[in-house]
Amino acid sequence: ETGVTQSPTHLIKTRGQQVTLRCSSQSGHNTVSWYQQALGQGPQFIFQYYREEENGRGNFPPRFSGLQFPNYSSELNVNALELDDSALYLCASSSFQSYRPYGYTFGSGTRLTVV
Amino acid sequence: QQPVQSPQAVILREGEDAVINCSSSKALYSVHWYRQKHGEAPVFLMILLKGGEQKGHDKISASFNEKKQQSSLYLTASQLSYSGTYFCGTVRGKLIFGQGTELSVKP
């Protein structure tokens, strides 16, 4: 059973640029969630995708957008990067079957630095 | 609404016990517990689904009181490997994490 894979592991971008982060979910999982984690803070929920549709969103502006593909992999896109977007971005996959929740499996994250 | 964890930090000697609490102002359907070591991804420990349910994972166990909207994580006879930041997560369609409790176990 493969885990959650994120790419790239590290990224440096300039303020105002756009970035795309990628996530391959664990085999058999149909739900992907994205989190932003600043240093010393808990992961903050960005949004969640279930079967290619966004079905939950946290308190993040529209310049944060995402996609989920038929194979349940996912992308997080951030436009017009700001310095405060510098953080660790975590992807987590899970499986919702018969309304019974399971634990989330996290990837190792992408460390984004905006300069 | 983010759950609230207490304490924010704990320092233990190897073999000592600790309790981490998690409370929510909204009704809880389930509570997750995760541990994150420095520079690593959060790792799932356990999920609690029913009021009063308890679960165990090695010498780590947890309880969930849905009436009080609280969960507690119990670490018994702590080991050096228990060091890390512990997060509770509450689920209302999406998993929302608390701010974390940093646990340090010293020899």
Side-chain angles (χ1 to χ4, degrees), chain B residues 44-58:
Chain B
F44 173 70
L45 294 176
M46 65 189 78
I47 182 173
L48 300 112
L49 300 175
K50 297 179 182 178
E53 182 185 18
Q54 294 204 12
K55 278 198 171 182
H57 176 83
D58 195 9

Side-chain angles (χ1 to χ4, degrees), chain B:
Chain B
Q1 194 84 13
Q2 185 180 32
V4 177
Q5 291 183 230
S6 63
Q8 290 189 352
V10 183
I11 299 176
L12 300 173
R13 291 288 180 191
E14 212 172 354
E16 292 181 338
D17 302 339
V19 180
I20 300 172
N21 298 303
C22 174
S23 63
S24 173
S25 60
K26 295 195 173 185
L28 299 178
Y29 302 107
S30 65
V31 176
H32 294 218
W33 285 97
Y34 292 79
R35 177 173 61 209
Q36 184 178 30
K37 293 184 179 284
H38 183 69
E40 299 181 8
V43 174
F44 173 70
L45 294 176
M46 65 189 78
I47 182 173
L48 300 112
L49 300 175
K50 297 179 182 178
E53 182 185 18
Q54 294 204 12
K55 278 198 171 182
H57 176 83
D58 195 9
K59 292 183 180 177
I60 300 174
S61 62
S63 63
F64 176 30
N65 187 324
E66 64 183 35
K67 288 183 180 178
K68 291 186 176 180
Q69 296 163 196
Q70 293 176 346
S71 179
S72 295
L73 187 72
Y74 307 93
L75 298 100
T76 305
S78 59
Q79 306 168 14
L80 295 177
S81 62
Y82 287 2
S83 292
T85 302
Y86 289 78
F87 294 99
C88 70
T90 56
V91 179
R92 291 172 60 90
K94 55 196 177 189
L95 177 62
I96 303 298
F97 287 97
Q99 80 278 21
T101 296
E102 187 172 357
L103 183 80
S104 298
V105 181
K106 309 289 186 185

Side-chain angles (χ1 to χ4, degrees), chain A residues 34-64:
Chain A
W34 285 91
Y35 292 84
Q36 181 194 67
Q37 187 175 27
L39 273 174
Q41 304 292 318
Q44 297 297 307
F45 176 74
I46 302 175
F47 43 58
Q48 176 173 286
Y49 280 84
Y50 172 67
R51 292 184 175 178
E52 303 177 57
E53 302 238 343
E54 184 182 297
N55 75 339
R57 189 176 182 93
N59 191 24
F60 280 81
R63 60 189 184 85
F64 285 78

Side-chain angles (χ1 to χ4, degrees), chain A residues 10-42:
Chain A
H10 294 82
L11 203 52
I12 300 175
K13 287 287 190 178
T14 303
R15 189 170 49 182
Q17 285 189 314
Q18 177 266 342
V19 69
T20 297
L21 310 182
R22 294 179 173 82
C23 172
S24 294
S25 59
Q26 181 167 312
S27 175
H29 286 184
N30 55 19
T31 301
V32 173
S33 303
W34 285 91
Y35 292 84
Q36 181 194 67
Q37 187 175 27
L39 273 174
Q41 304 292 318

